Amino acid sequence: MAASIAVAGLGITEMGKVYGRSASDFAAEAIALALDDAGLGFSDVDGLLVHSNLSPEMTVNLQWSLGFHDLPVLAAIGAYGSTPAAMFNYATRVIESGQAETVVMVYADAPLRPAGSAGAAYANANPPEGMDSVNVAHGFYGANVGYALAAKRHMELFGTTSEQFGAVAVAQREWAVMNPHAQMRKPITLEDHQSSRWVVEPLHLLDCCLVSNGAVAVVVTSSERAKDLRQPPVHLLGLGQFAPGDSKRTDREPGIYTGATEAGRQAFAQAGVGVNDFDFLEIYDCYTYTVIVTLEDYGFCKKGEGGAFVADGKLGPRGALPTNTGGGQLSSYYMWGFTPLSEAIIQLRGQAGERQVAKHDLALVSGNGGFLNFHGTLVLSTRES
Amino acid sequence: MEEYTKPLPIRDERSAPFFDGLLDGELRLQHCLACDQWMWPVTLRCRHCLSDQLEWKASAGKGTLYSFALVHQIYHPGFADEIPYNVAFVDLDEGVRVTTNIVGTPNDELAIGSRVELATELVTHDMALAKFRVV
């Protein structure tokens, strides 16, 4: 199927421990950068899609705080890390129908404060109510525990090892060293990974993503119009979304069998591509384990073999399967699904500088959320079909 | 009883039968009269068929250790003295996966797949937690 919409602009703010600015401040800056990147202006925007996240500012009220007026398309869309797939679905409809021509999608957050740990900023963001209070009564705090439980189960079922998780962390740091946007640019070794403190065993500190203040904005328009704008267009060839759901019944285990299988099947079929056609991958990486289980479920290797698959360093700059080429959320910046999305755009355009992958026509972008309960897949390309 | 410093569950009208059951040493769960499925956490309608025909019924309190993790990070000062402590998922024989802690076994001897049974722990005069021990 020929693409109907394309990314025409990208804006990335400074990332990490950047204080004194709100999520709205970051959003405004990223949108200004993205419009400038596309060669468009504020008045060209007729659609705004706000990424719902843990920030109370990320609602449709962002329209007022940023000063947008008379928007025919406005929505806050949230499916945790799988949100880009939902947003691109929505954007396709409104652009194809002519409801809007220039749609801005924005992710922004500012959870970090000058005092306090990054993990605490996230784990305590929303105090639990009702039955969720049972979880914290047992010491189940935040995503770290949920992903540790999934990773431990995978290790038990398939013999996956902490060193194999470490291979993901090391490969991604190699990419991050070359990424000027990245928060963590000091090389690490497998020994560094193994000796980093336990957060929630079996997850070491270097298995866990960063937390970032900052924003990413993307400008989307029709594929036809994108060709006349400033940047090389990045076309949407296919997308899929799949939410395997509940972890609280014994006949389901989304932590081991994620939504990537079905979301990938949908996206690849729409794009008319197979799993071996991709030049590089941007795989959602809240944890090292997430990358391994997602690669399995897309079919890059068999279920249970993901650990061995990544152990030889094939995801790194000298590997056969360039993956998370900006360092991902483990080493560059944590903007949920907008981290893999933004890096795919940079690479497809050929603007990744020192870390540019040699062949960059077709990218797989994944998004994940919950405790592996939600999944989204995008197939993006320099080609229109 | 020493002062309990960890976070306590918040009992409300809907979840009261669950917490009352624990005070009686029972794991009472909702069971759907329409589709015969059990569920956790507490819900208004069946999580399998959306029926509102739910009854409270005691689980046998037996299950299998699905997975566990050892928390080293101090997220709440009440847990500081027990670092690392285990958090576990137990698959009850009734088909429900619950969040819990395994008591009575050192963390380095925990094994996924172990059979476990309910071991309620009275933490204040009017609150108990559903923990499990290896059988």
Side-chain angles (χ1 to χ4, degrees), chain A residues 146-147 150 153-154 242-261 289-290 293-294 297 303 368-375, chain B residues 66 89 97:
Chain A
Y147 280 83
R153 176 83 180 166
H154 198 276
F242 201 74
D246 199 352
S247 322
K248 293 290 188 289
R249 37 190 283 194
T250 59
D251 59 345
R252 312 284 315 185
E253 44 180 343
I256 304 295
Y257 301 94
T258 74
T261 304
Y289 168 68
T290 314
V293 73
T294 304
D297 288 343
K303 176 50 65 185
N368 154 75
F371 302 120
L372 298 144
N373 303 108
F374 315 108
H375 199 91
Chain B
Y66 173 84
F89 280 157
R97 182 170 300 139

Side-chain angles (χ1 to χ4, degrees), chain B residues 4-106:
Chain B
Y4 188 73
T5 56
K6 294 174 189 161
L8 285 165
I10 299 159
R11 173 205 292 263
D12 56 22
E13 197 180 336
R14 194 188 298 178
S15 60
F18 174 79
F19 294 113
D20 289 345
L22 294 178
L23 289 171
D24 294 340
E26 271 187 2
L27 185 59
R28 281 177 211 148
L29 299 176
Q30 287 166 299
H31 171 256
C32 179
L33 294 166
C35 75
D36 196 29
Q37 296 280 349
W38 295 71
M39 62 215 71
W40 185 88
V42 175
T43 181
L44 197 60
R45 283 180 177 262
C46 175
R47 291 155 65 83
H48 296 259
C49 73
L50 286 184
S51 164
D52 61 358
Q53 300 299 303
L54 302 180
E55 61 170 349
W56 283 95
K57 201 168 160 181
S59 145
K62 296 188 188 311
T64 304
L65 181 54
Y66 173 84
S67 191
F68 65 94
L70 304 180
V71 180
H72 291 251
Q73 177 100 24
I74 301 169
Y75 293 105
H76 185 286
F79 290 97
D81 294 342
E82 296 175 18
I83 297 289
Y85 62 90
N86 74 69
V87 174
F89 280 157
V90 162
D91 279 5
L92 296 175
D93 293 347
E94 288 86 358
V96 174
R97 182 170 300 139
V98 296
T99 304
T100 187
N101 310 111
I102 306 298
V103 295
T105 300

Side-chain angles (χ1 to χ4, degrees), chain A residues 281-372:
Chain A
L281 317 177
E282 303 299 339
I283 303 292
Y284 197 93
D285 60 331
C286 43
Y287 298 88
T288 52
Y289 168 68
T290 314
V291 176
I292 287 173
V293 73
T294 304
L295 289 171
E296 291 176 356
D297 288 343
Y298 278 136
F300 287 95
C301 59
K302 286 187 189 151
K303 176 50 65 185
E305 295 180 0
F309 182 73
V310 304
D312 67 355
K314 68 163 60 64
L315 307 186
R318 290 170 307 283
L321 192 63
T323 297
N324 296 347
T325 54
Q329 301 189 94
L330 298 173
S331 285
S332 68
Y333 45 89
Y334 181 64
M335 293 280 119
W336 292 11
F338 276 51
T339 299
L341 170 62
S342 57
E343 177 64 15
I345 295 165
I346 294 168
Q347 289 282 353
L348 286 165
R349 289 174 172 182
Q351 297 171 346
E354 202 188 341
R355 69 183 191 283
Q356 181 64 50
V357 298
K359 196 162 176 297
H360 51 92
D361 287 327
L362 190 68
L364 169 55
V365 180
S366 82
N368 154 75
F371 302 120
L372 298 144

